[in-house]
Amino acid sequence: MDSETQDITLDADKTQPPVSALRFDTPFELYAQIPHVKQLTQHRPEQDEDALDYLLRLRASTTPEDAVTFTAFAAVPKMAIWWAYECLRLAGEEMSQADREMMELVANWTTFPGNENRYRTMQAALYAPVATPAVYLGLAVGWSGGAIAPNDPAPVPVHRTPRAISSAVLSCLAHSELNQRSVRLARFIEQASALFRVF
C-alpha cells in the first residue's frame, strides 16, 4: 500500500464528529433568532437550559403540545420533516389516497432532497383541496429551503417550514380520538427526544 492510499485509509477510519439535528445550540438562542416560536408557545427557555431538558420540561407542563411546536422549530428542516412524517405514519389514522400520495412525495424528498422533488411536493400541496396533516407536511417540504418556485427567487421566511410542521403534527393529534390524544402526544414527544440527544 503506497503512502497516499494509506493516508486516505487512515482518514476514513477516523471518527467523524456528530452532526447536530438542531438549528441552534440552545433553545434560548432559538427563541432569540426565530421569534415566531414565542407566538406559538406558552413557555420560555432559561438562558442556560439545554434542548433536551427544555423539551422534557414542556412535556411535563400544562401545555405539552408546546413540545411539538418547539421540536418543529428547533430541528433543522429535513430532520423535523422526517420526524413529523414518522408521527403521521405511526399515528395509525386511515389516510385518503391523496394523503398517501402526498406522504410518498414527502418520503421521496427526504431521500432525494433536490429542488425538483421539493417543487413537485409543494405543487401537490398547494393544489390539494383539503388542508390535511399530510398537506401541511407537503407545504413544509416546499418551504424547506431554496427559492419558493423555479421562476421566483424570493427567499422563504424561516418560520414557514416549522409552522407547517407544527400544524401537521398538531392537526394529526386533533384528529385522534379524545381518549388517545395524550398517549399519541407522548409517543410523538418521545420520538422527538431522539433529535435532542447527543450520542
Side-chain angles (χ1 to χ4, degrees):
M1 181 184 295
D2 62 40
S3 62
E4 185 177 340
T5 305
Q6 188 173 8
D7 288 345
I8 292 170
T9 304
L10 289 173
D11 285 345
D13 289 341
K14 289 181 182 175
T15 302
Q16 298 296 315
V19 177
S20 177
L22 305 181
R23 290 175 187 260
F24 299 101
D25 290 337
T26 66
F28 190 84
E29 189 178 355
L30 168 71
Y31 275 68
Q33 296 295 322
I34 309 179
H36 285 84
V37 69
K38 295 177 185 175
Q39 299 168 10
L40 302 172
T41 56
Q42 298 294 314
H43 302 277
R44 300 291 176 266
E46 302 294 332
Q47 189 160 1
D48 58 349
E49 193 168 24
D50 75 30
L52 182 58
D53 288 343
Y54 183 56
L55 179 78
L56 298 178
R57 180 159 69 87
L58 292 176
R59 181 179 69 180
S61 74
T62 56
T63 53
E65 296 83 4
D66 281 0
V68 168
T69 302
F70 168 61
T71 300
F73 276 84
V76 294
K78 186 176 177 185
M79 296 300 292
I81 288 166
W82 183 252
W83 162 72
Y85 172 88
E86 287 298 307
C87 289
L88 269 58
R89 189 178 69 80
L90 296 176
E93 295 293 321
E94 190 62 38
M95 288 190 182
S96 67
Q97 179 62 29
D99 279 347
R100 286 196 296 276
E101 290 170 5
M102 182 65 68
M103 292 288 281
E104 190 173 317
L105 287 170
V106 171
N108 189 47
W109 174 83
T110 61
T111 306
F112 305 104
N115 278 334
E116 185 178 333
N117 286 332
R118 183 170 64 85
Y119 292 141
R120 185 179 295 118
T121 307
M122 177 70 157
Q123 184 175 27
L126 286 172
Y127 288 101
V130 181
T132 64
V135 168
Y136 282 121
L137 202 51
L139 291 172
V141 167
W143 295 326
S144 63
I148 198 163
N151 58 353
D152 185 352
V156 180
V158 71
H159 67 275
R160 301 272 303 261
T161 291
R163 283 193 78 149
I165 293 167
S166 180
S167 295
V169 177
L170 291 176
S171 61
C172 174
L173 192 64
H175 291 139
S176 307
E177 294 290 334
L178 196 55
N179 62 352
Q180 287 295 309
R181 285 184 192 170
S182 60
V183 173
R184 191 164 287 178
L185 177 58
R187 189 180 305 146
F188 292 170
I189 297 171
E190 183 56 36
Q191 285 180 294
S193 68
L195 300 172
F196 297 91
R197 290 195 166 95
V198 178
F199 295 98

